[in-house]
Amino acid sequence: DNPRERRWLLVTPIVVDLTLLGIFKYTGLLVDTINSFSALWSGHGVLSPVHIILPIGISFYTFHTITYIVDSYRRQIVPTRDFFEFACYVSLFSQLVAGPIVRFSELQQDLDTIDHKNRRDTLDRGWSFFAIGLIQKVLIADTIASMIDPAFKHVASLSSAGAWLCMLGYTYQLYFDFAGYSNMAVGLGFMFGMHIPQNFNSPYQALNPSDFWRRWHISLSRCLRDYLYISLGGNRGSEASTYRNLMITMLLGGLWHGAAWTFVVWGAYHGVLLLIYRRWPSPWDRCPLWAQRVGTFFLVVIGW
């Protein structure tokens, strides 16, 4: 109950978590960036390239442990005394690689009763989610990938129509691949008697950039909002500070997706879209619904 000790117990493990994530996931990006700038000035890099094997699922179980620590600090959960329950939550195999990002409060009751729960109640729903996810991933996403991947290897030879078809194909491949994995994870959760939250809600039917992020990778959007955006101050300050907090959140959200500057640019792009819509929502909202959907979809395609 000592406030100072509680803050240390909050900050220390988060710093350790983020340091490990930075070393494993972003060291290569940092070295490559330094060498690129060095090559511009001196014609050669100054650091030797590094090749660090990335642990499977490190981004997801880093998020899991950080949310667990913060929720414990905020007294929103009662920390478990069972190490195996904690380990199961952090490294749950079904959603470790591709999500959804699950909070301990969403699984604690299921984990507490997992040894005597009647799984027949959720088995049919579990098989349904798993089958739908498998179809999305294997039959749809992988089929689209088999058609567009060879085209992406020869971009210079594509016509304008071919390039747009590849962009549309990649847009749907990405969705069905990611949503397929998420639905399989939700289905496996139901089979084991655990309620893993939904991660997608028809994102390509979104009406505006803000609506898109309420529908796409829902679990990540909630985590970024609750643990980063609100912690930075959210919209409690001036309008300028709100825009700053939103941009920082989207930049770090983009970087979380992958160790490349393209992800940062993608995060910044969506951050700008959110800022513009937040600043001038009325002209967009006055458009017909079909025009809002088409416009949002077009902007998302450009981002991909």
Side-chain angles (χ1 to χ4, degrees), residues 34-47:
I34 292 173
N35 284 337
S36 297
F37 279 107
S38 175
L40 290 175
W41 292 100
S42 62
H44 60 82
V46 294
L47 300 174

Side-chain angles (χ1 to χ4, degrees), residues 5-304:
E5 292 177 356
R6 293 185 79 246
R7 281 194 295 272
W8 275 108
L9 290 170
L10 170 73
V11 172
T12 303
I14 290 178
V15 170
V16 172
D17 266 343
L18 295 178
T19 300
L20 289 172
L21 180 66
I23 291 172
F24 280 104
K25 191 170 182 178
Y26 301 109
T27 301
L29 174 64
L30 179 62
V31 170
D32 291 343
T33 302
I34 292 173
N35 284 337
S36 297
F37 279 107
S38 175
L40 290 175
W41 292 100
S42 62
H44 60 82
V46 294
L47 300 174
S48 300
V50 293
H51 303 285
I52 300 175
I53 297 175
L54 189 67
I56 294 174
I58 186 172
S59 295
F60 284 94
Y61 58 72
T62 298
F63 247 131
H64 279 186
T65 51
I66 289 177
T67 61
Y68 181 89
I69 294 161
V70 174
D71 286 349
S72 298
Y73 177 80
R74 293 174 175 172
R75 304 189 191 277
Q76 294 175 347
I77 62 171
V78 178
T80 179
R81 299 291 182 178
D82 189 332
F83 172 77
F84 292 103
E85 183 178 39
F86 172 76
C88 182
Y89 160 68
V90 172
S91 58
L92 191 63
F93 80 96
S94 57
Q95 45 76 235
L96 180 62
V97 176
I101 300 168
V102 184
R103 303 186 194 186
F104 187 69
S105 59
E106 295 170 324
L107 282 187
Q108 186 171 17
Q109 185 176 357
D110 292 333
L111 291 172
D112 287 341
T113 59
I114 197 170
D115 56 336
H116 56 271
K117 179 168 286 188
N118 183 5
R119 297 176 188 169
R120 294 178 182 174
D121 295 340
T122 55
L123 189 60
D124 288 342
R125 194 185 304 177
W127 277 113
S128 300
F129 266 100
F130 186 84
I132 290 170
L134 195 64
I135 290 169
Q136 290 176 313
K137 171 68 180 78
V138 177
L139 295 184
I140 302 178
D142 289 357
T143 300
I144 295 174
S146 68
M147 293 186 288
I148 64 173
D149 284 353
F152 276 131
K153 292 179 180 178
H154 305 91
V155 174
S157 63
L158 290 175
S159 64
S160 295
W164 276 103
L165 286 173
C166 282
M167 290 172 64
L168 288 172
Y170 178 69
T171 297
Y172 282 102
Q173 179 216 343
L174 193 63
Y175 167 70
F176 283 113
D177 188 277
F178 201 173
Y181 271 123
S182 294
N183 284 330
M184 284 192 280
V186 171
L188 285 168
F190 278 127
M191 292 181 205
F192 283 95
M194 291 181 285
H195 296 77
I196 295 175
Q198 182 181 353
N199 210 24
F200 290 88
N201 182 22
S202 302
Y204 292 155
Q205 295 185 42
L207 295 173
N208 53 65
S210 182
D211 188 32
F212 173 77
W213 283 102
R214 285 192 292 266
R215 294 167 173 262
W216 177 275
H217 205 345
I218 299 169
S219 61
L220 174 66
S221 297
R222 290 187 308 155
C223 282
L224 291 175
R225 179 196 66 198
D226 294 345
Y227 299 101
L228 184 57
Y229 178 70
I230 291 177
S231 297
L232 289 170
N235 55 6
R236 297 188 297 271
S238 64
E239 194 168 358
S241 64
T242 299
Y243 295 158
R244 178 204 63 200
N245 297 337
L246 187 57
M247 279 302 297
I248 291 174
T249 300
M250 294 308 298
L251 285 169
L252 293 177
L255 186 62
W256 178 85
H257 279 81
W261 288 111
T262 49
F263 287 105
V264 179
V265 172
W266 174 74
Y269 170 77
H270 274 277
V272 170
L273 293 182
L274 290 169
L275 292 184
I276 293 173
Y277 178 72
R278 183 181 179 87
R279 181 66 181 85
W280 297 287
S282 298
W284 185 276
D285 293 341
R286 284 197 296 266
C287 296
L289 292 182
W290 67 266
Q292 294 181 44
R293 286 198 172 97
V294 171
T296 302
F297 179 72
F298 175 77
L299 293 172
V300 169
V301 171
I302 296 298
W304 294 142

